[in-house]
């Protein structure tokens, strides 16, 4: 498998020069296309920071991130926006727009990418995810598990090959957690999506072909099955 993601000497520093926080500390990492990578680590170990850097949501301090040929450290705003429109991102707390219904939240995924809004694609995704009866519902009225499935549909509407997940089941009951895990397994195994998932939950080890452990902003272990 060729590498889709390449990180070299990636560092992210927050805070002032007097009180620096080294959230990500000199990370080298390659992630193959079509893999399912899980990044484990305790709270504060730098997982979300690393994911946000790879998703183009935050700027690296030093080093280089190249994803699918795009050098994120050098990309201008336009190219960065284009890159972000081509990936999927799933967050712990869904990040839905509370004033919109289910369908419009999913269509937002296409608007954000500047693409034509394809309503039938959104409906199809929501149906696959078992939400056809909730299409017109205001997302405020949905359960946590339903909200996360809406967020997954939104992330898929622009058909990304690469999906980033940050604690995707962190706010869910165990039944919804199982559902979301199965959706991620299917996206990987049946559709060949590359998935990078960060979590403090060791249960996700079972889904991964590569398990990376972070501590204090560093990678301390890499296990490939
Ligand atoms: P994790 O996702 O593993 O819990 P984070 O990446 O959220 O870890 O955080 C890593 C470190 O960076 C922590 O010490 C955290 O307090 C710090 N940090 C994260 N985001 C910011 C920020 N926006 N400003 C300052 N410090 C931050
Ligand atoms: Mg986090």
């Amino acid at each position: 498998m060729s590498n889709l993601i390449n990180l070299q000497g990636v560092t992210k520093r927050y805070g002032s020069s007097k009180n620096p926080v080294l959230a990500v500390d000199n990370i080298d990492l390659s992630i193959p296309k079509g893999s399912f990578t899980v990044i484990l680590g305790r709270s504060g170990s730098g997982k979300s920071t690393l994911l946000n850097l790879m998703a183009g949501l935050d700027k690296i301090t030093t080093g280089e991130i190249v994803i699918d040929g795009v050098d994120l450290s050098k990309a201008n705003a336009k190219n960065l926006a284009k890159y972000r429109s081509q990936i999927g991102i799933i967050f712990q707390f869904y990040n839905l727009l509370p004033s919109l219904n289910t369908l419009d939240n999913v269509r937002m995924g296409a608007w954000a990418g500047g693409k034509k809004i394809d309503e039938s694609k959104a409906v199809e995704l929501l149906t696959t995810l078992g939400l056809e009866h909730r299409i017109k519902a205001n997302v405020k009225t949905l359960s946590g598990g339903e909200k996360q499935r809406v967020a997954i549909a939104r992330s898929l509407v622009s058909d990304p090959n690469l999906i980033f997940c940050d604690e995707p089941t962190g706010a869910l009951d165990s039944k919804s957690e199982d559902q979301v895990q199965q959706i991620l397994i299917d996206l990987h195994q049946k559709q060949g999506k590359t998935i990078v998932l960060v979590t403090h939950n060791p249960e996700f080890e079972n889904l991964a072909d590569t398990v990376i452990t972070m501590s204090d902003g560093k990678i301390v272990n890499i296990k490939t099955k």
Side-chain angles (χ1 to χ4, degrees):
M1 280 194 283
S2 61
N3 286 326
L4 180 65
I5 300 178
N6 281 294
L7 280 72
Q8 246 178 359
V10 172
T11 294
K12 177 69 184 181
R13 200 177 291 117
Y14 290 116
S16 61
S17 48
K18 258 190 178 168
N19 276 315
V21 177
L22 203 50
V24 169
D25 185 1
N26 194 23
I27 283 191
D28 297 325
L29 177 64
S30 294
I31 296 178
K33 194 172 181 179
S35 60
F36 195 137
T37 300
V38 167
I39 302 177
L40 285 174
R42 291 161 67 168
S43 175
S45 57
K47 307 179 298 296
S48 294
T49 302
L50 184 64
L51 196 86
N52 290 341
L53 294 175
M54 290 192 283
L57 299 174
D58 207 349
K59 271 187 103 62
I60 65 176
T61 306
T62 57
E64 190 178 82
I65 300 182
V66 180
I67 298 182
D68 210 6
V70 181
D71 187 337
L72 299 186
S73 33
K74 294 202 184 80
N76 61 24
K78 187 169 163 244
N79 289 340
L80 214 51
K82 180 165 178 250
Y83 165 73
R84 280 195 301 257
S85 74
Q86 291 166 342
I87 59 172
I89 312 179
I90 298 163
F91 299 99
Q92 178 174 5
F93 294 110
Y94 331 118
N95 291 17
L96 300 177
L97 287 177
S99 59
L100 297 181
N101 69 26
T102 294
L103 183 61
D104 286 342
N105 263 280
V106 174
R107 291 161 77 192
M108 273 294 297
W111 295 335
K115 290 188 185 163
K116 196 165 161 279
I117 301 150
D118 186 344
E119 180 165 332
S120 61
K121 175 89 186 281
V123 171
E124 185 191 314
L125 279 166
L126 285 164
T127 304
T128 310
L129 295 169
L131 288 168
E132 61 276 26
H133 60 299
R134 304 298 263 148
I135 275 172
K136 294 288 175 191
N138 188 301
V139 291
K140 276 184 289 200
T141 66
L142 302 181
S143 71
E146 289 173 331
K147 282 180 184 155
Q148 193 58 300
R149 280 182 280 146
V150 175
I152 292 171
R154 178 187 55 190
S155 82
L156 296 176
V157 78
S158 51
D159 204 24
N161 290 317
L162 172 60
I163 302 170
F164 293 108
C165 314
D166 191 347
E167 307 276 4
T169 63
L172 303 183
D173 59 84
S174 62
K175 182 164 167 268
S176 302
E177 169 162 21
D178 290 348
Q179 273 180 338
V180 167
Q181 285 194 359
Q182 193 55 53
I183 292 165
L184 295 174
I185 290 169
D186 288 349
L187 286 171
H188 175 239
Q189 292 183 351
K190 296 189 181 151
Q191 299 190 42
K193 309 280 188 198
T194 306
I195 301 186
V196 181
L197 183 150
V198 308
T199 180
H200 69 282
N201 180 356
E203 220 184 271
F204 276 96
E205 275 201 42
N206 305 326
L207 276 61
D209 40 51
T210 301
V211 180
I212 292 169
T213 309
M214 284 184 75
S215 177
D216 289 335
K218 296 187 191 65
I219 291 176
V220 293
N221 191 44
I222 300 185
K223 195 165 68 188
T224 302
K225 289 181 192 165

